[in-house]
Structures are given as C-alpha cells and as structure tokens.
Amino acid sequence: MTQALLRPPTTLQPRPKANPTFSSASLDTHTPFRRPRQSRPSSETRQSSPRKPSPVENVSARATVALIRRVLCPQPTTGSNEARPIEELLPPLTSRNDVDLQLYAIIAIVVKETVYSWYGKITSDETFVEEVVRIIAHCTTGLEGRLRMVNIESLIFDEIPELIENHVLAYRISHDAARTPGTSVNPQAVYHELNPHPALSPVPDLSFETSATQQSRNEADYRQLLVQGALAILLPTEDLENTCLRTLVADVIAETILGRSIGGRVCEGWFVWTSIRKLVVAVQAQVNPRATGEEIEVDTRSRLEKFGLLSERGDDTRPATDGRRSAFSEVFWRCLQYGYLAVITLRFVLVGFAASWSEPRRSSWSAKATADSPVANPTEAPTATRRPILVFRILSLLSTLLDLSLRMPWLCGSLALLQYHLIASPLVVLRVGAVDGLLDQYLHHLINNHVLKPSLLPSLLSMIRTNLFPRNSLPPPPPSAPDTPAAQQQRGEMKRKCAEELSALLPDIVVNRAVAGLSREDVVREVESELDVWGDAYMNKHLAYRILDLIVVRVLPEMGEKGVKELMEARGIGT
C-alpha cells in the first residue's frame, strides 16, 4: 500500500493508446484562439505581466490550488507534492496552464461532491479518481484539437445570436397570444410549438400529473445520449471499453454539469439577471475605472509648505477670482477636447486597418478549416464561414432587443440601406464590407484581438465557476415552492438592479434625445419589462439546449450524422 502511495506522479499522464477520432495534424489550423508558440510554458507565462497581483488575487489563486491539491492530487506521507506545481502532478487538459487551473478547480468541485461523497466511504484508495481525471483529460485535449477547426467567430457572433433572437421573438409571440382577450392559451405551449425540442416534450401541464414526470425523463435521456455520443468520439478505444468508468463519467457530466447547472441553475431567470448585472459591472470597471483613495489623496504641498516655512496655498489672502470662463475659452477647450478625441479615434482606426490588412484573409482560413474537418461537408461549411461580418446576426439581435423597427423605424431602415451598400454596392470600390473587404478584415481583426483573446478565457472560467458553484460546492436544489411572495419579491429586486445597471450604460444625451419624453426612471422600467424575456425557466431551457446542440454539432460533427449506437459500433464496441 505504501508503494502505491509513493508511486511517481507520471502515472497520471495519459497512457499511449489507440488514437481518438480526430487528427492531430490539424491542431495547427489557424483559429481565433491560437495555440502558444511553446506548449505549457509554466514560468514564462506567469512572468509575462509586470503587474503584481493584488492580495485578493493571491488568496483566490492559493485557495484554488489548495482545493485542487486536496481533492485531485495524491496525498503521500512525505509531503513532497506541496512544493511541486500542479502541472507536474496532473495531466494537462489544454495547452495553457492558467486555463488548466480553472478547469481543474471545476473538476475538483464536481469530484468532491459527486464521487467522494460515496467513494470515500468505501476506500481511501485514489486510483479510481485518478482514472476519472485521466479520462477527462483525454476528452479535454480532444475537444481543444477540434475547437481549433471551428470558426469561433461565426459561432459566437452569428449562429448563437440567431438562436437568441428566435428565443426573444418566440417569447413575445407566446405572451402576446396569451394576453389576447377571450383566449386561454398556455404561453409555454405556444413557445414549444415555435421552438420545439425533444428533450422538453411534453409541455408540463398541471392538469396532467404525468406530463412533468415524462418531460423530466425525456430530458435525462437526452443528456445521457448527448454525453455518451461525445465520449464515443473523444475517448480512446481502451477507455471506451471500460464500461464502469465510462458510465460514471457520463453520469457526472450529464446530471451534475448539464442537469443541475446548465439545465437547472443557468436557466433560472434570477441567475440570468444576476449574470447580466455582473457582466455590466465588469464592463463599466474596464471602461470607466474609478479612482481609489490613494489616487485621490495626493499631497501637492512643497517641502517648504510641509515644514511651515511658507504659507500654504489655502491661506492666500488674495481676493478670489471669478470662476466663470468666457465663451471664447469654453469654445476653445471644447474644440480642443473634440480634436484630441478625433485624433485618437483616427489613429486607432488607421492602426487597426494596417494591422488587419497584414493578417491572413478569412476566406483562406475557411478553405483550410473545411479541408481539415473530420467530416467534410463542402456544401455548408464555406457558406457558413464566408459570410460578411456586417451580416452576422449579432446586429439583428441588438435591433430586436432594442425594438428599433418599432421605436425608430427610420434608423433601422437607414442602417439596412448602409449595410447593403457596404456589402453589395453597384460600385465595387464601395464594397468594403464584403468578405475580405477592408472593413470586413478590420472587424475581424478587432474581434480576434479585443474580444476573443485567449487571455480572457481564464477569467471567464473563473467567473463561471464562481456563479455555478458558489463557495466551491454544488448549489442546493431549488425550493419546492419557488413562487412564494418572498421569492417573487427577491426576484423582482434582482431584475430591478439589473435594469438599473443596464440603463446606467446609456449616456444622458442618449436618454434626452433618443428616448425623448422619458425620464431615467421610465427608461429603467422599460428595460425591466424587456428583461422579462429571461424570466421563464422552461423557455430558457429551450434556448440553453439549442445552444448546446449547436456547439456539439460544430465541435463533433459526427453526432449530427450518426446516433450513439452507430458511433459505438464504428469504434468496435457494442452498446
């Protein structure tokens, strides 16, 4: 037993086995999330930023590392693992250490709550947990390789916004039908007819007691089939043949991650409102950083004033001058401010155009990604990746959320006309918004270098872990009676705070001119009414599962053509 505990940590590294169903030669494909030049640079990555982390960041990082060591790392009697970094004790999940740290923190929480809750009562041997971690490492490395062949830009800014827009429109139509006088319509039933999903059928109905039970059973079966199909593609053959481990990993992912988190907590209206509010606060902190007390309280006195050898400026007995400035002075400083802003904006645009024009064209990436795809589909992939960025559905989604077609039809029509001329103008010179055009390449450069930066991924994973697993533990199940007056009041307060944060993003000039006749309080109420779109958990679950289906089909295109049984038979394993 002692020898088993003192075995070298290299046993956690994945053993050489039969190759999974993706080609390693395609890992060099260019995508927005680029692989670093050196694989897993432990010291250079941490020394790249000269800024010293704050004490809060240090405590958070230490707590994360301590959680991972306590749950996932072996516990030898000599204590030699305390001085060794995590990346030497656990197999790599991705090509970045900072991403692996956040992923292992999530895995540690799930293993602690779902595996150790019963396995720790049977035995103290950690071999079983090591096998679970090794299987998850095989899946994550396979997913990373396949993500490099996915057009992340089109997925996030075109395909997912299209699903969100359909959700918003279906919600409005279903509730408009329910508010029609003289009709008795279930909004959830209308929504399900507009956006059907097999996992959420039949629609839960209080008049039929078995409908909710049948829907829950269908949803659980859907999650199991989804996870089993993904494991059939990603796992090596030897791990796939281990039915015990495969079933355990499938149950953990299907029930804990997909069921209780994505299909449960994430779909609640209060969670969506809280997440939007936190995102807005984070954006405001980046755009308008607040000055700290140390920055404000600056001693501007000279050394003579400090030692009392010279009277301070505040003791000056000269008569105070009039603080009012002349009209010429105000115009001069206003022109100077606008001129400085124009120069900074022009410099930003010119530098962006110059940098974007030196990067590879989007069409060249499209052809290469299509050729390296595990399932060649030349009829759909080129059209999906060669769409101009100006026609991405993110712009249509913003128009739908703001109701521009009803509030400002003239603005909506003008923007549509401008979009047409930038993409399909009769003059070829003006088609700067077409694929590989000057404006299209510039927008592609901005998205990849400011939105889809790989350095933002660890912070995103940390925020997801904090929201889904508060206090590094699984959230408690929802109460049996969630519609109590106290719960409704609490949800109303969350929605109100989210509406206030969103309305605060609008400058006063926009409120006074764009929405003339409305006060700031009226704008808050308008935003609060629009947030009702995310208030129904059953409808949000449709959107969550449709987004999940889209991501799975893009990353694992085999699942769009074959079922779980066919995938298992293709690997030589009977179900």
Side-chain angles (χ1 to χ4, degrees):
M1 184 65 181
T2 305
Q3 295 179 356
L5 293 176
L6 295 178
R7 62 184 180 280
T10 55
T11 55
L12 289 177
Q13 304 295 332
R15 300 190 301 269
K17 296 184 177 181
N19 294 330
T21 57
F22 74 96
S23 175
S24 60
S26 60
L27 298 184
D28 296 332
T29 307
H30 172 74
T31 60
F33 293 101
R34 300 179 179 88
R35 178 190 291 272
R37 295 182 180 179
Q38 297 180 0
S39 61
R40 300 183 62 78
S42 59
S43 60
E44 297 178 5
T45 302
R46 295 178 176 85
Q47 297 176 359
S48 60
S49 177
R51 184 184 66 87
K52 294 183 179 181
S54 63
V56 177
E57 294 174 347
N58 284 333
V59 172
S60 177
R62 287 198 298 267
T64 303
V65 172
L67 172 67
I68 297 172
R69 289 182 182 275
R70 184 173 65 253
V71 178
L72 301 180
C73 295
Q75 304 295 331
T77 56
T78 59
S80 59
N81 285 354
E82 295 297 330
R84 305 183 61 180
I86 293 294
E87 56 267 19
E88 294 184 5
L89 299 174
L90 297 172
L93 300 178
T94 63
S95 58
R96 294 177 60 94
N97 290 335
D98 48 1
V99 176
D100 286 359
L101 182 66
Q102 300 300 330
L103 290 178
Y104 267 125
I106 297 176
I107 295 173
I109 296 172
V110 175
V111 170
K112 180 186 66 173
E113 298 290 338
T114 59
V115 178
Y116 274 129
S117 59
W118 59 269
Y119 185 75
K121 300 177 182 179
I122 301 175
T123 178
S124 60
D125 188 15
E126 299 178 349
T127 305
F128 183 71
V129 177
E130 295 175 8
E131 291 293 328
V132 173
V133 172
R134 185 173 51 80
I135 288 180
I136 296 177
H138 275 298
C139 295
T140 54
T141 53
L143 286 175
E144 184 187 18
R146 288 173 171 268
L147 278 174
R148 298 182 185 279
M149 298 181 292
V150 176
N151 190 348
I152 305 294
E153 181 183 66
S154 176
L155 179 66
I156 295 179
F157 294 97
D158 188 22
E159 296 178 292
I160 293 180
E162 181 180 2
L163 298 179
I164 299 177
E165 183 180 5
N166 294 336
H167 166 78
V168 174
L169 295 175
Y171 177 89
R172 292 175 178 174
I173 293 174
S174 61
H175 281 74
D176 289 342
R179 286 192 293 263
T180 303
T183 59
S184 178
V185 180
N186 184 4
Q188 294 182 347
V190 177
Y191 182 94
H192 185 72
E193 292 294 332
L194 296 174
N195 286 334
H197 196 281
L200 301 173
S201 179
V203 179
D205 192 353
L206 297 178
S207 58
F208 299 96
E209 298 180 357
T210 59
S211 60
T213 304
Q214 182 65 29
Q215 187 269 320
S216 300
R217 189 181 299 112
N218 292 339
E219 186 178 351
D221 294 341
Y222 157 78
R223 295 194 298 262
Q224 284 288 339
L225 290 175
L226 196 66
V227 176
Q228 291 288 351
L231 294 179
I233 297 174
L234 296 173
L235 289 182
T237 304
E238 294 185 17
D239 287 334
L240 198 61
E241 291 175 346
N242 193 334
T243 307
C244 179
L245 281 176
R246 173 163 53 88
T247 304
L248 176 63
V249 172
D251 288 339
V252 169
I253 298 176
E255 300 303 327
T256 304
I257 298 179
L258 297 183
R260 296 182 59 178
S261 298
I262 297 180
R265 186 181 178 89
V266 173
C267 297
E268 296 293 336
W270 61 266
F271 183 88
V272 179
W273 298 326
T274 304
S275 301
I276 294 175
R277 180 170 172 262
K278 291 181 179 179
L279 182 62
V280 171
V281 171
V283 172
Q284 288 179 337
Q286 294 292 332
V287 176
N288 299 319
R290 298 181 181 179
T292 61
E294 297 178 357
E295 296 173 348
I296 296 175
E297 298 177 0
V298 179
D299 193 355
T300 58
R301 298 178 300 172
S302 64
R303 299 186 64 182
L304 294 177
E305 293 173 345
K306 292 179 180 179
F307 292 98
L309 300 179
L310 184 66
S311 62
E312 298 184 3
R313 297 184 182 91
D315 299 334
D316 196 353
T317 59
R318 290 178 298 178
T321 59
D322 189 6
R324 294 176 297 178
R325 295 181 297 181
S326 63
F328 175 77
S329 176
E330 292 181 358
V331 172
F332 172 76
W333 287 110
R334 184 66 58 87
C335 293
L336 190 63
Q337 291 175 357
Y338 285 140
Y340 177 75
L341 180 62
V343 170
I344 294 298
T345 304
L346 183 62
R347 179 181 178 275
F348 177 78
V349 172
L350 292 179
V351 171
F353 275 125
S356 63
W357 200 249
S358 62
E359 294 182 353
R361 305 278 81 85
R362 294 176 61 227
S363 58
S364 62
W365 178 89
S366 172
K368 187 176 181 180
T370 305
D372 294 337
S373 178
V375 177
N377 196 352
T379 59
E380 297 181 3
T383 58
T385 54
R386 287 180 59 87
R387 283 167 55 88
I389 295 180
L390 285 180
V391 300
F392 279 3
R393 296 298 293 269
I394 183 68
L395 303 177
S396 177
L397 173 62
L398 294 177
S399 176
T400 301
L401 292 175
L402 298 176
D403 277 340
L404 287 183
S405 59
L406 297 178
R407 301 177 185 273
M408 301 178 182
W410 55 271
L411 179 59
C412 188
S414 301
L415 293 177
L417 182 62
L418 177 62
Q419 181 190 54
Y420 169 77
H421 283 289
L422 290 177
I423 296 175
S425 175
L427 298 178
V428 182
V429 182
L430 299 179
R431 298 179 185 175
V432 293
V435 177
D436 293 341
L438 183 62
L439 181 58
D440 185 76
Q441 195 68 18
Y442 174 66
L443 295 176
H444 175 69
H445 169 77
L446 290 181
I447 291 174
N448 290 335
N449 290 274
H450 297 280
V451 181
L452 300 180
K453 295 192 300 183
S455 58
L456 297 178
L457 190 56
S459 301
L460 179 61
L461 291 174
S462 177
M463 183 178 64
I464 293 175
R465 174 169 63 93
T466 303
N467 292 331
L468 292 183
F469 308 104
R471 298 182 181 87
N472 289 334
S473 61
L474 292 178
S480 57
D483 292 331
T484 58
Q488 293 179 359
Q489 182 181 1
Q490 186 177 7
R491 291 198 299 269
E493 294 176 356
M494 292 180 180
K495 184 173 64 173
R496 175 72 179 185
K497 293 179 181 179
C498 180
E500 292 175 351
E501 294 292 345
L502 286 174
S503 61
L505 294 177
L506 297 176
D508 293 335
I509 187 174
V510 176
V511 175
N512 296 333
R513 296 186 179 183
V515 287
L518 296 179
S519 62
R520 178 67 69 172
E521 181 64 23
D522 295 333
V523 174
V524 172
R525 284 196 293 265
E526 288 283 340
V527 175
E528 191 174 0
S529 64
E530 294 296 333
L531 290 175
D532 289 335
V533 174
W534 313 104
D536 195 307
Y538 179 75
M539 297 182 184
N540 293 341
K541 196 174 293 186
H542 281 76
L543 175 62
Y545 284 156
R546 288 170 68 88
I547 293 177
L548 182 62
D549 292 340
L550 174 64
I551 296 175
V552 168
V553 171
R554 291 293 177 263
V555 179
L556 306 172
E558 297 93 334
M559 293 188 62
E561 301 179 355
K562 300 179 181 179
V564 178
K565 184 178 180 180
E566 296 175 347
L567 292 173
M568 289 289 188
E569 292 177 352
R571 302 293 301 277
I573 299 175
T575 56

